[in-house]
Structures are given as C-alpha cells and as structure tokens.
Amino acid sequence: MTNRMWGGRFAETPSEIMEEVNTSIDFDKRLFAEDIAGSKAHCKMLAATGIISADDAAEIRRGLEQVQSEIAAGEFTFSRSLEDIHMNVESRLAEIIGPTAGRLHTARSRNDQVATDLRLYVRGVIDHLDEQLKGLQRALARQAKAHADAIMPGFTHLQTAQPVTFGHHCLAYVEMLGRDRERFAGARKRVNENPLGAAALAGTSFPIDREMTSRELGFASPMRNSLDAVSARDFAIETMAAAAICAVHLSRFAEELVLWTSAQFRFIKLSDRFTTGSSIMPQKRNPDAAELVRGKAGRVIGALVTLMVMMKGLPLAYGKDMQEDKEPVFDALDTLSLTVAATTGMVEDLQPDRDALRAAADSGFATATDLADWLVRVLGLPFRAAHHVTGALVAKAEAKGVDLAGLDLGEMQAVEAGITEDVYSVLTVEASVRSRRSLGGTAPENVAAEAARWLKLLG
Ligand code: ARG
C-alpha cells in the first residue's frame, strides 16, 4: 500500500530501507500532547474564520480528544509506515471520525506543525527546568546558610590559595545557576513565537487568523516570515546552548563532590543514598551519582554540536535533515533534568566535615596573602616587595616544618626588621576570612547575608 497520507502520486510502496531511514515516530511520539494541542488550536481557528464548519470542527475536536486519551492510556498503535506523530494522529483521527478528518490539514503543513510542536515541547521543559534549577539553588543556599562560617581552603590550580568558607563556595554555584536560569528564560522568549500558519513555507491563501492560534497556544506572537517560521531551529540550538552551559556547571560541582568525598580530601560525606559500594573492595564508597552528573555533561554538549552541524549550510526552507533535531533535544533535556535532580539530592544529602575543612585550610600557607597585605598596610611596603618578603618567610616556615604563625618574631624580623607582634593577628585563617568583607568577599557575615538574600529571593 502506498502511504495513505501522501500517496496520491505514488504507484509503488517505499523500500524497506526508505521507511527505516524516514520514520521518526519511535521518538517523535513524545510530541503527541503538543501535536494534539496544536491541532485543536488550528481546528478552532479554522472554524472561527469560516474555513471549516462548526460541526466539522466539533467532530474533529472530539476525535482528537479520543486520540489523546488513547495515546495517554497506552492503547494507541503507532505505525512506522505513517512516519511521524503528525500522520499517526491524523490517520487515527480519520479512523474515528471518517473523511471529515481530512479537513484538519487545511491551511497547514507538517512543516509548520512540527515547528509548533517542538516549540511547545521545549517551552514546557524550560518551565520545568526552571523550577528544578530553583530547587537546586535553594538547596545550595541552605547549605551556605548552615555553613557560612565553615572555613576551608580556597584553591587556584587546585593548590591551596586563600581560606574561604564552605558557604561561599556553595553560593558560587547559586550564582552560576542563576545565570543558567536567565539564559533559559532568554531562550524561552524566542522559543515562544508561533510558526503555525506558515504552512509549507509560503503562507496560505486561506483567511487564517494567526493571532488567534497564538493566543490559543500561549505564544507571544505569530512569527512574521513564513520561510523563517518553518526553517528556524535556532530556538532549539539556543536552548541546547543554555543546557550545555548548565551541564558544564553541574559537572564542575560534581567533580568537586568526587574530590571532596575522597579519602585524600574528606571535606564532605555523602550518605548511602548517593553512593555505591564496590563488589571487590569492601572499604569503598563510590560517588557514582556525582561521576554520572560529571559524565553526562558530554551528552548535553553533544546535542548542541549535533544541532549546529545539522543546521549548518541548510538552504531555506524546511529540509528533512531537520527531523534529526528531536532526539538530541529530547536526550539533552532529559539528561539535564535528571542531573539537576541528582545534584539537588546530593546537595541536600551532603554533610561537610567542618573539622577536616578547617584542618585543610591550615596547611599550605593559606594566609600568606594576609601576611603580604599586612606588610603593605602596616609597614607601607610596595606590594611586590611585600610579596618577596612573604615568600622568604614561607620558605623559612617550610624548612622549619611549621605554618606561618609557627615562626617566632625574631625569625620574622631577620627577614624584615619592621615586623611587629601585631602580624600574628592576621595569620590565622579565621582572621583571614573575617577580613574579606569587600563586596562579594568570603567573610562569614557576607556569606550569611548573601545566603539569606538568596533564600528570600528563591522563596
Ligand atoms: N517528521 C518531520 C520532522 O520531524 C515532520 C515534517 C515533515 N515534513 C515534510 N514535508 N516531510 O521534521
């Protein structure tokens, strides 16, 4: 049998491999709710504009509702020979209501239909992700509030740099996630434009009302160029870009969880709920969830690259290449949603080991910068000179096997005669973090205030 939906001019059936390469129903059935919502809006508009009769519209609506409940209940038989979700729905509609079903596709094409469906789908996922990301921010801000004053080493090059607080570290991710949410919100604006009514590529000779379908589907406005409407996928690319950046952020945090749970760091503990054992090494508690969040970033970044390469160099308007947009979009958004949920779970679960954090901050001469700053502030040394003196003192302490506060005043004065007893007041990690009250700095009072500000904002 030739294809029922477009087989008019075809005498032969497609080769098996043609069907295999052409079909998208296995994955685009996920768009069924959006497809039916789009069809209902289109049908309502066709009736309102007098393009189809009110009776036909009512029939079509009833049929679409039945199709929707059959699919939702898992009672629908999808057919690969009907290619995609659009034709599977329409074909079943015809079985239910008869030839009237054929009126639904007036002034429409699968080209504007699929663009509409995907936009509706992506919009819905963005809204869900925003809630999830907000939840993750909240979990991090709560940890920040609880541990605003838990001192830990801050790193650059993964070498001890200066002491910071655990809360400050958590809030760094709250900021990143805030920007991620803004990026998604920015993408959402451009996702939320209505391509329906562009028809195949040129618009239609029927007197359609695109403002009406926009309103029905919650789109901000109709897209203003029919060629653009059916061939634009930058809305999906942009969403993938936001997703990829967000996945990169999650992977950085995940990597820190992996490091911090190791026996070498012992900065935090993850409970049995987020770790697994080894089948051979009984002592192990592996941070698998964190490793998977780290690893899955690759899929999300891959989706962005897949879409850009697929679209690159495509002439206007629609090309079947574009059917390849869906799997990466679905996979990336599923993956991101799952990894945000796993990360939120871990953040809620984790317990920082405040003693281990504090002890780690004490090693590695974390207050060397404080010493240099003291030499500048109190003795009036140029910073470069102060840096040099501090370097010499660090070398001395290292040779003696003590931290900076372990050098006695005489040993210090041998390097810089002007140093006084007062210097010891800046050599503790507590004094160091307390002094960093500059806007955005790590002082516990700053961190507590920032955590409170975020928690209020996040509601
Ligand atoms: N399944 C197709 C896609 O996802 C729908 C649009 C097909 N349009 C066409 N003229 N063959 O892109």
Side-chain angles (χ1 to χ4, degrees):
M1 187 186 69
T2 61
N3 190 298
R4 270 180 281 172
M5 313 304 286
W6 48 247
R9 62 164 289 191
F10 286 78
E12 283 188 85
T13 56
S15 92
E16 236 174 81
I17 195 69
M18 175 62 207
E19 185 171 302
E20 186 68 24
V21 74
N22 201 28
T23 188
S24 58
I25 188 60
D26 294 342
F27 48 86
D28 69 16
K29 60 181 164 207
R30 279 184 71 154
L31 295 175
F32 81 90
E34 290 77 11
D35 193 70
I36 290 171
S39 286
K40 280 184 174 172
H42 183 66
C43 170
K44 188 167 176 184
M45 181 279 291
L46 290 177
T49 51
I51 298 168
I52 66 173
S53 73
D55 286 351
D56 285 348
E59 270 298 281
I60 291 170
R61 190 185 169 82
R62 180 183 69 74
L64 286 170
E65 272 160 13
Q66 185 176 327
V67 176
Q68 166 117 28
S69 37
E70 285 176 7
I71 299 178
E75 290 158 2
F76 191 94
T77 315
F78 291 102
S79 153
R80 302 185 91 212
S81 70
L82 286 166
E83 291 184 28
D84 54 27
I85 185 63
H86 325 296
M87 296 206 295
N88 270 270
V89 169
E90 198 185 323
S91 166
R92 178 71 187 128
L93 183 67
E95 285 172 7
I96 299 170
I97 69 169
T100 304
R103 298 196 187 279
L104 173 61
H105 213 52
T106 315
R108 179 177 86 166
S109 151
R110 275 188 291 155
N111 297 348
D112 58 341
Q113 200 179 346
V114 73
T116 304
D117 292 4
L118 192 60
R119 282 172 184 271
L120 291 173
Y121 179 87
V122 169
R123 185 180 75 186
V125 178
I126 288 178
D127 291 344
H128 177 65
L129 273 171
D130 187 64
E131 280 304 312
Q132 280 194 290
L133 289 170
K134 201 169 160 183
L136 176 52
Q137 284 184 300
R138 211 179 279 122
L140 283 161
R142 283 195 188 122
Q143 287 283 9
K145 184 180 169 191
H147 303 289
D149 61 348
I151 296 173
M152 67 181 279
F155 300 96
T156 61
H157 314 269
L158 198 57
Q159 308 285 317
T160 299
Q162 294 172 356
V164 296
T165 74
F166 187 79
H168 198 52
H169 200 110
C170 291
L171 288 179
Y173 284 99
V174 174
E175 295 286 336
M176 288 179 238
L177 294 165
R179 291 193 297 277
D180 290 333
R181 289 177 60 204
E182 280 176 28
R183 264 182 289 272
F184 276 118
R188 190 191 190 283
K189 263 198 213 154
R190 288 168 291 278
V191 167
N192 199 30
E193 296 175 347
N194 184 15
L196 192 61
L201 76 166
T204 174
S205 58
F206 290 97
I208 57 172
D209 182 352
R210 297 189 60 211
E211 297 287 351
M212 179 178 170
T213 53
S214 300
R215 272 196 310 278
E216 288 291 317
L217 295 169
F219 283 119
S221 58
M223 294 180 75
R224 302 203 65 89
N225 180 296
S226 60
L227 292 169
D228 177 47
V230 290
S231 61
R233 291 295 181 273
D234 49 314
F235 75 90
I237 294 178
E238 196 180 350
T239 305
M240 292 299 96
I245 295 171
C246 182
V248 167
H249 289 156
L250 296 182
S251 81
R252 296 184 73 177
F253 184 63
E255 165 66 0
E256 297 195 313
L257 295 182
V258 172
L259 287 172
W260 291 354
T261 50
S262 70
Q264 287 68 28
F265 275 80
R266 288 189 305 110
F267 281 7
I268 61 164
K269 269 208 184 70
L270 281 174
S271 77
D272 296 353
R273 297 176 62 232
F274 285 94
T275 49
T276 63
S278 158
S279 49
I280 174 164
M281 297 163 283
Q283 85 282 12
K284 292 198 75 172
R285 180 195 277 281
N286 295 326
D288 296 45
E291 292 167 86
L292 285 161
V293 170
R294 186 177 61 183
K296 281 175 189 288
R299 298 165 70 141
V300 184
I301 297 163
L304 170 62
V305 176
T306 301
L307 250 63
M308 289 203 292
V309 175
M310 183 269 285
M311 289 303 289
K312 180 194 163 296
L314 268 194
L316 301 188
Y318 176 82
K320 197 64 174 257
D321 317 46
M322 287 153 78
Q323 179 166 284
E324 291 291 308
D325 60 3
K326 286 168 212 63
E327 287 167 290
V329 167
F330 294 156
D331 184 65
L333 295 177
D334 286 348
T335 300
L336 189 63
S337 178
L338 179 61
T339 51
V340 174
T343 307
T344 307
M346 287 188 285
V347 172
E348 285 167 349
D349 182 78
L350 73 80
Q351 285 198 327
D353 182 334
R354 295 175 61 113
D355 295 335
L357 289 169
R358 174 69 179 73
D362 261 338
S363 68
F365 307 104
T367 56
T369 314
D370 298 273
L371 173 53
D373 286 349
W374 184 89
L375 294 168
V376 170
R377 202 171 47 243
V378 180
L379 302 188
L381 264 55
F383 183 77
R384 285 295 162 212
H387 186 283
H388 193 79
V389 169
T390 306
L393 289 169
V394 167
K396 221 174 197 184
E398 204 164 26
K400 194 180 170 190
V402 294
D403 60 15
L404 285 167
L407 292 173
D408 56 46
L409 192 57
E411 287 167 316
M412 295 223 195
Q413 286 169 339
V415 176
E416 167 52 59
I419 296 180
T420 65
E421 194 66 37
D422 178 59
V423 77
Y424 291 98
S425 69
V426 301
L427 294 183
T428 65
V429 290
E430 281 77 11
S432 174
V433 295
R434 229 185 296 121
S435 72
R436 286 183 161 67
R437 291 197 198 91
S438 57
L439 181 71
T442 197
E445 62 183 88
N446 276 17
V447 175
E450 277 300 298
R453 188 182 70 82
W454 269 112
L455 285 170
K456 198 170 155 209
L457 215 68
L458 294 165

PDB file of all heavy atoms in Angstrom, residues 151 163 358 367 370 423-437 444:
ATOM      1  N   ILE A 151      35.292  27.214  57.660  1.00  0.00           N
ATOM      2  CA  ILE A 151      36.480  27.607  56.895  1.00  0.00           C
ATOM      3  C   ILE A 151      37.088  26.407  56.155  1.00  0.00           C
ATOM      4  O   ILE A 151      37.197  25.312  56.704  1.00  0.00           O
ATOM      5  CB  ILE A 151      37.528  28.247  57.832  1.00  0.00           C
ATOM      6  CG1 ILE A 151      36.935  29.542  58.413  1.00  0.00           C
ATOM      7  CG2 ILE A 151      38.837  28.533  57.099  1.00  0.00           C
ATOM      8  CD1 ILE A 151      37.798  30.178  59.472  1.00  0.00           C
ATOM      9  N   PRO A 163      42.100  31.026  52.437  1.00  0.00           N
ATOM     10  CA  PRO A 163      40.933  30.408  53.067  1.00  0.00           C
ATOM     11  C   PRO A 163      39.640  31.066  52.592  1.00  0.00           C
ATOM     12  O   PRO A 163      39.602  32.278  52.371  1.00  0.00           O
ATOM     13  CB  PRO A 163      41.148  30.654  54.569  1.00  0.00           C
ATOM     14  CG  PRO A 163      42.220  31.662  54.679  1.00  0.00           C
ATOM     15  CD  PRO A 163      42.968  31.733  53.385  1.00  0.00           C
ATOM     16  N   ARG A 358      38.566  22.716  58.120  1.00  0.00           N
ATOM     17  CA  ARG A 358      39.368  23.671  58.894  1.00  0.00           C
ATOM     18  C   ARG A 358      40.834  23.235  58.912  1.00  0.00           C
ATOM     19  O   ARG A 358      41.745  24.045  58.715  1.00  0.00           O
ATOM     20  CB  ARG A 358      38.790  23.724  60.318  1.00  0.00           C
ATOM     21  CG  ARG A 358      39.543  24.530  61.334  1.00  0.00           C
ATOM     22  CD  ARG A 358      39.442  26.008  61.012  1.00  0.00           C
ATOM     23  NE  ARG A 358      40.152  26.816  62.010  1.00  0.00           N
ATOM     24  CZ  ARG A 358      41.471  26.891  62.101  1.00  0.00           C
ATOM     25  NH1 ARG A 358      42.227  26.219  61.271  1.00  0.00           N
ATOM     26  NH2 ARG A 358      42.035  27.655  63.030  1.00  0.00           N
ATOM     27  N   THR A 367      47.411  31.708  54.543  1.00  0.00           N
ATOM     28  CA  THR A 367      47.321  33.119  54.940  1.00  0.00           C
ATOM     29  C   THR A 367      48.525  33.946  54.472  1.00  0.00           C
ATOM     30  O   THR A 367      48.735  35.062  54.941  1.00  0.00           O
ATOM     31  CB  THR A 367      47.172  33.258  56.479  1.00  0.00           C
ATOM     32  OG1 THR A 367      48.266  32.580  57.100  1.00  0.00           O
ATOM     33  CG2 THR A 367      45.856  32.668  56.953  1.00  0.00           C
ATOM     34  N   ASP A 370      47.560  37.280  53.383  1.00  0.00           N
ATOM     35  CA  ASP A 370      47.218  38.164  54.504  1.00  0.00           C
ATOM     36  C   ASP A 370      48.482  38.795  55.077  1.00  0.00           C
ATOM     37  O   ASP A 370      48.501  39.965  55.451  1.00  0.00           O
ATOM     38  CB  ASP A 370      46.479  37.371  55.587  1.00  0.00           C
ATOM     39  CG  ASP A 370      45.169  36.813  55.052  1.00  0.00           C
ATOM     40  OD1 ASP A 370      44.164  37.532  55.113  1.00  0.00           O
ATOM     41  OD2 ASP A 370      45.170  35.676  54.532  1.00  0.00           O
ATOM     42  N   VAL A 423      51.606  41.260  63.702  1.00  0.00           N
ATOM     43  CA  VAL A 423      51.461  40.458  62.491  1.00  0.00           C
ATOM     44  C   VAL A 423      50.677  39.171  62.752  1.00  0.00           C
ATOM     45  O   VAL A 423      49.930  38.684  61.892  1.00  0.00           O
ATOM     46  CB  VAL A 423      52.854  40.154  61.865  1.00  0.00           C
ATOM     47  CG1 VAL A 423      53.584  39.047  62.636  1.00  0.00           C
ATOM     48  CG2 VAL A 423      52.702  39.749  60.400  1.00  0.00           C
ATOM     49  N   TYR A 424      50.843  38.641  63.998  1.00  0.00           N
ATOM     50  CA  TYR A 424      50.192  37.342  64.293  1.00  0.00           C
ATOM     51  C   TYR A 424      48.670  37.432  64.216  1.00  0.00           C
ATOM     52  O   TYR A 424      47.996  36.441  64.003  1.00  0.00           O
ATOM     53  CB  TYR A 424      50.650  36.815  65.661  1.00  0.00           C
ATOM     54  CG  TYR A 424      52.113  36.407  65.628  1.00  0.00           C
ATOM     55  CD1 TYR A 424      53.108  37.273  66.088  1.00  0.00           C
ATOM     56  CD2 TYR A 424      52.495  35.177  65.086  1.00  0.00           C
ATOM     57  CE1 TYR A 424      54.455  36.921  66.028  1.00  0.00           C
ATOM     58  CE2 TYR A 424      53.844  34.821  65.013  1.00  0.00           C
ATOM     59  CZ  TYR A 424      54.808  35.690  65.489  1.00  0.00           C
ATOM     60  OH  TYR A 424      56.127  35.345  65.403  1.00  0.00           O
ATOM     61  N   SER A 425      48.159  38.655  64.347  1.00  0.00           N
ATOM     62  CA  SER A 425      46.695  38.815  64.315  1.00  0.00           C
ATOM     63  C   SER A 425      46.115  38.509  62.939  1.00  0.00           C
ATOM     64  O   SER A 425      44.915  38.269  62.810  1.00  0.00           O
ATOM     65  CB  SER A 425      46.301  40.239  64.730  1.00  0.00           C
ATOM     66  OG  SER A 425      46.710  41.149  63.727  1.00  0.00           O
ATOM     67  N   VAL A 426      46.939  38.529  61.895  1.00  0.00           N
ATOM     68  CA  VAL A 426      46.386  38.253  60.551  1.00  0.00           C
ATOM     69  C   VAL A 426      46.756  36.861  60.046  1.00  0.00           C
ATOM     70  O   VAL A 426      46.389  36.484  58.941  1.00  0.00           O
ATOM     71  CB  VAL A 426      46.819  39.306  59.498  1.00  0.00           C
ATOM     72  CG1 VAL A 426      46.381  40.697  59.905  1.00  0.00           C
ATOM     73  CG2 VAL A 426      48.320  39.245  59.221  1.00  0.00           C
ATOM     74  N   LEU A 427      47.484  36.109  60.852  1.00  0.00           N
ATOM     75  CA  LEU A 427      47.985  34.835  60.330  1.00  0.00           C
ATOM     76  C   LEU A 427      47.040  33.655  60.530  1.00  0.00           C
ATOM     77  O   LEU A 427      47.266  32.574  59.990  1.00  0.00           O
ATOM     78  CB  LEU A 427      49.358  34.517  60.930  1.00  0.00           C
ATOM     79  CG  LEU A 427      50.453  35.496  60.485  1.00  0.00           C
ATOM     80  CD1 LEU A 427      51.802  35.084  61.062  1.00  0.00           C
ATOM     81  CD2 LEU A 427      50.551  35.607  58.978  1.00  0.00           C
ATOM     82  N   THR A 428      45.958  33.847  61.279  1.00  0.00           N
ATOM     83  CA  THR A 428      45.019  32.733  61.428  1.00  0.00           C
ATOM     84  C   THR A 428      44.025  32.747  60.268  1.00  0.00           C
ATOM     85  O   THR A 428      43.722  33.817  59.713  1.00  0.00           O
ATOM     86  CB  THR A 428      44.217  32.840  62.744  1.00  0.00           C
ATOM     87  OG1 THR A 428      43.408  34.007  62.657  1.00  0.00           O
ATOM     88  CG2 THR A 428      45.143  32.900  63.949  1.00  0.00           C
ATOM     89  N   VAL A 429      43.521  31.585  59.926  1.00  0.00           N
ATOM     90  CA  VAL A 429      42.547  31.522  58.835  1.00  0.00           C
ATOM     91  C   VAL A 429      41.253  32.234  59.222  1.00  0.00           C
ATOM     92  O   VAL A 429      40.568  32.801  58.371  1.00  0.00           O
ATOM     93  CB  VAL A 429      42.271  30.062  58.378  1.00  0.00           C
ATOM     94  CG1 VAL A 429      43.488  29.485  57.669  1.00  0.00           C
ATOM     95  CG2 VAL A 429      41.834  29.175  59.529  1.00  0.00           C
ATOM     96  N   GLU A 430      40.936  32.222  60.520  1.00  0.00           N
ATOM     97  CA  GLU A 430      39.724  32.926  60.970  1.00  0.00           C
ATOM     98  C   GLU A 430      39.836  34.416  60.668  1.00  0.00           C
ATOM     99  O   GLU A 430      38.920  35.035  60.127  1.00  0.00           O
ATOM    100  CB  GLU A 430      39.487  32.737  62.481  1.00  0.00           C
ATOM    101  CG  GLU A 430      38.887  31.416  62.875  1.00  0.00           C
ATOM    102  CD  GLU A 430      39.907  30.281  62.866  1.00  0.00           C
ATOM    103  OE1 GLU A 430      41.125  30.556  62.749  1.00  0.00           O
ATOM    104  OE2 GLU A 430      39.475  29.119  62.961  1.00  0.00           O
ATOM    105  N   ALA A 431      41.000  34.968  61.042  1.00  0.00           N
ATOM    106  CA  ALA A 431      41.198  36.408  60.797  1.00  0.00           C
ATOM    107  C   ALA A 431      41.160  36.686  59.296  1.00  0.00           C
ATOM    108  O   ALA A 431      40.615  37.692  58.844  1.00  0.00           O
ATOM    109  CB  ALA A 431      42.530  36.850  61.394  1.00  0.00           C
ATOM    110  N   SER A 432      41.727  35.771  58.550  1.00  0.00           N
ATOM    111  CA  SER A 432      41.783  35.960  57.100  1.00  0.00           C
ATOM    112  C   SER A 432      40.391  36.071  56.489  1.00  0.00           C
ATOM    113  O   SER A 432      40.090  37.025  55.782  1.00  0.00           O
ATOM    114  CB  SER A 432      42.549  34.794  56.473  1.00  0.00           C
ATOM    115  OG  SER A 432      42.501  34.879  55.075  1.00  0.00           O
ATOM    116  N   VAL A 433      39.530  35.079  56.788  1.00  0.00           N
ATOM    117  CA  VAL A 433      38.194  35.147  56.172  1.00  0.00           C
ATOM    118  C   VAL A 433      37.402  36.331  56.741  1.00  0.00           C
ATOM    119  O   VAL A 433      36.667  36.995  56.009  1.00  0.00           O
ATOM    120  CB  VAL A 433      37.377  33.835  56.300  1.00  0.00           C
ATOM    121  CG1 VAL A 433      38.030  32.713  55.521  1.00  0.00           C
ATOM    122  CG2 VAL A 433      37.144  33.441  57.734  1.00  0.00           C
ATOM    123  N   ARG A 434      37.569  36.589  58.045  1.00  0.00           N
ATOM    124  CA  ARG A 434      36.813  37.693  58.665  1.00  0.00           C
ATOM    125  C   ARG A 434      37.143  39.019  57.989  1.00  0.00           C
ATOM    126  O   ARG A 434      36.293  39.904  57.891  1.00  0.00           O
ATOM    127  CB  ARG A 434      37.152  37.769  60.152  1.00  0.00           C
ATOM    128  CG  ARG A 434      35.928  37.848  61.037  1.00  0.00           C
ATOM    129  CD  ARG A 434      36.279  38.037  62.512  1.00  0.00           C
ATOM    130  NE  ARG A 434      37.009  36.934  63.103  1.00  0.00           N
ATOM    131  CZ  ARG A 434      38.226  37.018  63.678  1.00  0.00           C
ATOM    132  NH1 ARG A 434      38.867  38.181  63.724  1.00  0.00           N
ATOM    133  NH2 ARG A 434      38.811  35.958  64.197  1.00  0.00           N
ATOM    134  N   SER A 435      38.394  39.136  57.530  1.00  0.00           N
ATOM    135  CA  SER A 435      38.821  40.429  56.960  1.00  0.00           C
ATOM    136  C   SER A 435      38.289  40.650  55.542  1.00  0.00           C
ATOM    137  O   SER A 435      38.309  41.761  55.049  1.00  0.00           O
ATOM    138  CB  SER A 435      40.344  40.494  56.940  1.00  0.00           C
ATOM    139  OG  SER A 435      40.855  39.619  55.940  1.00  0.00           O
ATOM    140  N   ARG A 436      37.820  39.605  54.909  1.00  0.00           N
ATOM    141  CA  ARG A 436      37.438  39.755  53.494  1.00  0.00           C
ATOM    142  C   ARG A 436      35.974  40.171  53.351  1.00  0.00           C
ATOM    143  O   ARG A 436      35.131  39.423  52.899  1.00  0.00           O
ATOM    144  CB  ARG A 436      37.778  38.486  52.726  1.00  0.00           C
ATOM    145  CG  ARG A 436      39.282  38.414  52.520  1.00  0.00           C
ATOM    146  CD  ARG A 436      39.781  37.275  51.731  1.00  0.00           C
ATOM    147  NE  ARG A 436      41.126  37.537  51.237  1.00  0.00           N
ATOM    148  CZ  ARG A 436      42.212  37.655  51.992  1.00  0.00           C
ATOM    149  NH1 ARG A 436      42.117  37.544  53.316  1.00  0.00           N
ATOM    150  NH2 ARG A 436      43.385  37.903  51.447  1.00  0.00           N
ATOM    151  N   ARG A 437      35.775  41.419  53.769  1.00  0.00           N
ATOM    152  CA  ARG A 437      34.402  41.947  53.792  1.00  0.00           C
ATOM    153  C   ARG A 437      34.055  42.725  52.532  1.00  0.00           C
ATOM    154  O   ARG A 437      32.974  43.307  52.440  1.00  0.00           O
ATOM    155  CB  ARG A 437      34.229  42.889  54.984  1.00  0.00           C
ATOM    156  CG  ARG A 437      34.258  42.191  56.317  1.00  0.00           C
ATOM    157  CD  ARG A 437      33.665  43.083  57.415  1.00  0.00           C
ATOM    158  NE  ARG A 437      34.101  42.580  58.716  1.00  0.00           N
ATOM    159  CZ  ARG A 437      35.198  42.989  59.342  1.00  0.00           C
ATOM    160  NH1 ARG A 437      35.953  43.938  58.804  1.00  0.00           N
ATOM    161  NH2 ARG A 437      35.545  42.465  60.494  1.00  0.00           N
ATOM    162  N   PRO A 444      32.446  35.514  56.719  1.00  0.00           N
ATOM    163  CA  PRO A 444      31.217  34.802  57.130  1.00  0.00           C
ATOM    164  C   PRO A 444      29.988  35.702  57.213  1.00  0.00           C
ATOM    165  O   PRO A 444      28.891  35.286  56.830  1.00  0.00           O
ATOM    166  CB  PRO A 444      31.589  34.235  58.497  1.00  0.00           C
ATOM    167  CG  PRO A 444      33.069  34.024  58.407  1.00  0.00           C
ATOM    168  CD  PRO A 444      33.598  35.153  57.563  1.00  0.00           C
TER     169      PRO A 444
END
